[in-house]
Amino acid sequence: MVLLLGVFLLALTLPKATVAFGDAHINITREVIMQKVTEVCREELDEDGLDFNPRDSSPEELVKACLGPKAKGEVSSAKFHKALREIYYPNKLIDRDFVNSAAHHFNSEAFLEGRGIITEGMGAIKANLRLGNLKAARETLGRILHTLQDFYSHSNWIELGNTEPYINLIRPYLPLENLADVNTPTCLDCASGTCSNPILPNILKEKKLTSGYFGLSSSLKPEGKCSHGGEVDKTSKTIPRGGINKDERRSDNAALFDAAVKAATEATSQLLEDIILTAGNEDFLRMMGVARASILSFVIDTTGSMSDEIEEARSVAYEIIDSKQGMQDEPSEYILVPFNDPEFGPLFRTTDPEKMKTEISKLTAKDGGDTPEMCLSGIQLALTGAPSSSEIYVFTDATAKDIALKDTIDALTSSTKSSVSFFLTGSEGRRRRRSLGVGSFNDYRDLALASGGQVIEVSKSELPKATDIILDTSTSALVTVLQRARQAGTEETLSFVIDESLNNITIYITGILSSFTLINPTGVIQTHNEANGKLGSFQTVGNLWRIRLDVDRQTGTWQINIKSNGPYTLTVRGQSTVTFIYDFVESFSGPHPGYAPLSGRPQAGQPATLMLLVTGRNGPSSVTVKDVDLVMVSGPESITSSKINNIGNGDILATVDAVPQGEFVITVKGTDKVSNTDFQRQSTTRMSISQVNIKAVVDKSVEPGKMVTLPFSVMTQEGGGLYTINARNDRDFPMTFPTSLTLTPGLYINATLTVTPPANTQSGTDATLTIEAKSSSGADSNYIILRLSVVTKITDFFPPQCKDVTVMADDCPEDVSLCGPYQWELSANLTDDNGTGIESLSLRQGNGNLSHTALTDPVVQAFYSASCCSQIVEFVALDKVGNAGRCHHSIARSGGPPALSLSLLLWLCLLVSLFSVKP
């Protein structure tokens, strides 16, 4: 509860003028997530007999304390921070995208509609979690938490004297009672606009629920109704004037604001508790990004010529699974996507290494022989199915038949910040036919460079040596120090900084290389002729040089001189918890201004802002950030510096006056305070600018078999004319959209896209939509990525019921220290009357044995037995749409020491009487 009230206490200590509910949305969400992660981690470690001892409540410490005791190795909090952002951003965007929607903010007495948003969102989250679509679940969670939290700020729930959350908002089977109708006046006139409580006395006495009306462009509201209030609400000037919102903490409403924050915090906790009951502890932690950072993701060509490659991919997967078991480097998720022609997929995803072994063992090379294949379709599935910032490895010996997807893949890698690397074992000369629209190996090189991946060209016999790179990069805290690409033969010396936190440092050079010379900060030199030198060891295979630095490497600035006869790439990577995450963002105005992440490319010729989080070994406070730069990755080194502003919680706003032309990456330089050594980190995904901008919003799920219409708008800053429009989705759902739009510079043109998930689409399916706009010359383009959840309409909102609980605990001694030899038992009847039926029954608390009769029975009988030393039991019954019912019982006796026997009491009385006799 201390953490749950953290934001409430924060509101009391911050300067009053700065406290606003718009800020509290993120603070509330952050604090409650930290609290729930703390609780769940402690439960998980307790079950394993391990201690959970975070030094503080920071994300870094929680992840270390949660994951560290279970496995050795570096524990990175980057995945947790990314997951949090995927919740925070959609929460904040409700204030931009739905500022006029009464339902999204519980304005204008839209209580039923607001609860409908929460109910639909919870259904989508539970369905997404069942299929492992964690990103979709996080985004929906952020949106509905904003709506839930707004209820306490925008309604009169607090003014009615309520101190607890309104549980009916997240229990759709309970009615919303005593709502003020549209004809009932609710407020007194407040000429000053800052009256402490303008609710009419009879509304307070009758406990009528109301909320303020809000209008950005209109002052109309029903007669006698409360307004939301504030400068931007035009209805607040219509009698009764003023407003009842508690969005800001002022002297006249301080107590109400504090109470609203407290109630919203507890309501957020209740909603997350529902998700935990449905998902279970392990999946809840995965949803929150508290999981090992490494992901193993393979996209494999299964045509007839690929038997050697499939065997090698299988061997590498087995080696990673077996050698990294019990380590932080052990992947937390496995993804496998096969492809050939004309088929690709399905995507296989699991957290179970044995299931991955089984699935990859099923792959066989068959058919084919007439290249090209459906390679990019397989990559698309992997990119949309894998977490952000994943490493994806593609095995193929053929070119791509579906080259029309190239721009989509480029957009997806940019959006997800994932890297795609290719192991190519064929030659373009193997292709027997060339048809229009077929790609070349150069297309793979383009995609790898754009994503920060590599193209490794080897013979089939050399492939086992090349796949060491997969073992290198399947790590828990992978960071990139430097990455550069050159398109022509040249000689160049490049510098990079190695800090004390970096381990397992490896340099990769792919391409046509004449020689290299490596120089450490003290001037020690190793050349390409020394496979085992003073600085490290290297091996070559195909077009890959892999240089592994010695463990006792020198910190400071290193140099590498490269002479090449053609294109090459240089990558320096290692393991470290000193890292950063970033998003390009744009500001928005309104009642609650803020920043929104850009889905596509930054705008050309405009100032740009990055939101970064730079974290060290002990959190953001253990690093000092000196420079955030945009660096051109091809051609002569060109650096655009930014102005940096630390805005708290480790977040940094970095602003550049204009984004550079061409492709660039982000570099961050600073000092690791733990070791007092300078560090350098770089993003891997290439970014570029565009004159085009696309806007579109998805905020709700769609039913299978139902067509949904998505409005979107396109604008170009200059160079209007005909622009090609293309839209794709990774599920191959039928779509319609205009194939072109004529744009006028500076003017948004509106259009619509329709998508229809087939009627047999599984509930919880997550579809990723990409909309692209490209100029007629092809010189300029941009994109937007949208996620659409397909969820079967839910009509069952009632959780299973726990009835007829019988407990037999008479044998348990009153003195708990004597509990060892004794057992107690519990039985209960579980029903889901008129519901979808009980699907699972699991033990959430208790060390005993739980069994049950068939789940298909109308009444499921549950039986639990445990030692009298384990005195609490809780088990959860889930129905088929994720409603959770629970049975909870404790045999612990309350109050005081164990009861004294009658004989002992008589002896005590006798002793007292003897010692009380006077001489």
Side-chain angles (χ1 to χ4, degrees), residues 440-480:
S440 69
F441 280 177
N442 283 331
D443 294 307
Y444 294 156
R445 297 184 187 101
D446 292 343
L447 292 172
L449 285 174
S451 69
Q454 302 182 65
V455 173
I456 302 167
E457 301 177 49
V458 292
S459 67
K460 292 179 183 293
S461 61
E462 292 175 316
L463 185 59
K465 294 180 181 179
T467 52
D468 282 347
I469 190 173
I470 302 177
L471 293 165
D472 294 342
T473 52
S474 296
T475 66
S476 59
L478 183 67
V479 296
T480 299

Side-chain angles (χ1 to χ4, degrees), residues 111-112 115 119 165-177 179 270 797-799 801:
F111 295 113
L112 294 173
R115 184 172 73 168
T119 300
Y166 191 19
I167 193 67
N168 300 38
L169 293 177
I170 60 172
R171 299 284 186 269
Y173 54 87
L174 298 175
L176 298 182
E177 298 177 316
L179 306 180
Q270 289 176 345
F797 301 110
F798 289 87
Q801 299 295 305

